[in-house]
Amino acid sequence: MRIFEYNNINEMSYDAAKTIYNFYNYYIKKQNYFTLVLAGGNTPKLLYGILSSEYKNKINWNDVHLFFGDERYVDKNDVYSNYNMATETLISKIDIPKTNVYRVKTEILPIEKCAKDYENRILDFFKSKKKDVSFDLILLGMGNDGHTASIFPDTPVSDDKYVDITYPKNATPKIPRITFTYKTINNSKNVMFLLSGEKKIKILKEIFEGKDYPTRFVKPKENLLYFISKK
């Protein structure tokens, strides 16, 4: 585990972008492709903007495959959609094939079928690479209640599935979610947390002291990185 602390989100986002670029270079040389899992929320918006501008031409996006660690069960153009946010800040501004973007198809009804479709497409991707499900880099955030992805304190997830459904009671907004499970997250090679603000720093300190927030149970195979901005 490594912790990187910054005075503001601007410094943090630029350093996080550079780190993602370094991971990209490493895995392109190793296996000729790079799997990156995007996080939702407000904290990564600046990071995505930097990737879509500073790294627009440095990264060969044909070799990058984008996934989502969780999604709210809303229309893809909804203001609460993680895909919508990522499209506005990153995807629409880079030259990436549509087939390289694995969004949660929230138009599929019911939600159980939607979650299964997403899981199957993940399984098919890694099967095509003749590898077990193990993402190169997962970006995660953390809420003020210690939740990560859409694993909340009041919403247990499956130990067997790669993708599950949660119905968090205390989330804002109260919308059903499709989320990676710990199985998926902890089978990944690297996880990068992006945290901003004093409340989240306080929660993280409690996690390091042993408090059982969901974020505490994230343990990837290789590198666990915390990028922390004071404000």
Side-chain angles (χ1 to χ4, degrees):
M1 180 180 71
R2 284 183 287 169
I3 300 170
F4 303 90
E5 297 182 78
Y6 304 90
N7 290 320
N8 56 67
I9 196 168
N10 189 63
E11 291 178 4
M12 181 185 80
S13 299
Y14 272 96
D15 211 24
K18 183 180 179 181
T19 302
I20 292 170
Y21 182 61
N22 290 338
F23 275 121
Y24 158 80
N25 279 322
Y26 174 79
Y27 286 105
I28 291 298
K29 290 175 184 175
K30 185 176 181 180
Q31 62 191 19
N32 298 317
Y33 67 92
F34 176 55
T35 54
L36 175 63
V37 179
L38 301 179
N42 290 316
T43 305
K45 285 182 178 179
L46 180 56
L47 167 62
Y48 296 165
I50 295 165
L51 289 174
S52 67
S53 55
E54 303 278 330
Y55 294 89
K56 181 177 182 177
N57 299 318
K58 291 180 181 179
I59 292 174
N60 183 348
W61 295 98
N62 288 299
D63 298 329
V64 178
H65 298 266
L66 297 177
F67 295 79
F68 291 82
D70 72 319
E71 183 59 278
R72 300 180 180 99
Y73 195 51
V74 295
D75 185 85
K76 67 178 182 178
N77 298 314
D78 193 280
V79 66
Y80 288 118
S81 165
N82 289 338
Y83 171 76
N84 183 43
M85 183 275 282
T87 297
E88 288 182 353
T89 56
L90 175 62
I91 296 167
S92 66
K93 299 178 180 181
I94 56 175
D95 189 17
I96 187 169
K98 288 183 179 180
T99 53
N100 285 22
V101 180
Y102 295 76
R103 72 175 180 88
V104 182
K105 295 182 178 179
T106 51
E107 65 270 23
I108 295 176
L109 302 171
I111 190 172
E112 290 80 8
K113 192 174 179 181
C114 172
K116 190 63 180 174
D117 171 81
Y118 188 46
E119 182 177 61
N120 285 340
R121 284 187 287 124
I122 290 169
L123 290 169
D124 287 346
F125 172 82
F126 283 99
K127 186 178 180 182
S128 74
K129 302 296 184 184
K130 296 181 171 58
K131 293 189 177 182
D132 294 331
V133 176
S134 183
F135 292 98
D136 298 326
L137 177 60
I138 296 181
L139 305 181
L140 290 175
M142 183 183 74
N144 291 331
D145 57 357
H147 86 265
T148 191
S150 280
I151 307 174
F152 288 77
D154 61 350
T155 57
V157 291
S158 170
D159 292 327
D160 302 316
K161 298 176 181 177
Y162 290 102
V163 176
D164 205 359
I165 304 160
T166 60
Y167 300 89
K169 298 173 184 176
N170 299 314
T172 304
K174 291 182 181 179
I175 295 171
R177 319 284 184 103
I178 293 98
T179 185
F180 278 5
T181 61
Y182 288 121
K183 179 179 181 178
T184 314
I185 295 170
N186 291 343
N187 207 44
S188 68
K189 300 178 184 78
N190 308 284
V191 166
M192 178 191 294
F193 273 99
L194 303 166
L195 310 177
S196 178
E198 294 297 332
K199 284 185 179 180
K200 293 180 182 180
I201 291 172
K202 181 176 179 291
I203 293 292
L204 191 61
K205 184 179 178 183
E206 292 176 5
I207 289 169
F208 291 156
E209 290 170 352
K211 193 159 183 180
D212 285 348
Y213 292 106
T215 295
R216 181 187 172 195
F217 303 102
V218 171
K219 297 175 182 178
K221 288 181 173 180
E222 297 179 17
N223 295 293
L224 176 57
L225 310 176
Y226 287 95
F227 282 68
I228 304 169
S229 167
K230 294 178 182 177
K231 55 184 178 179

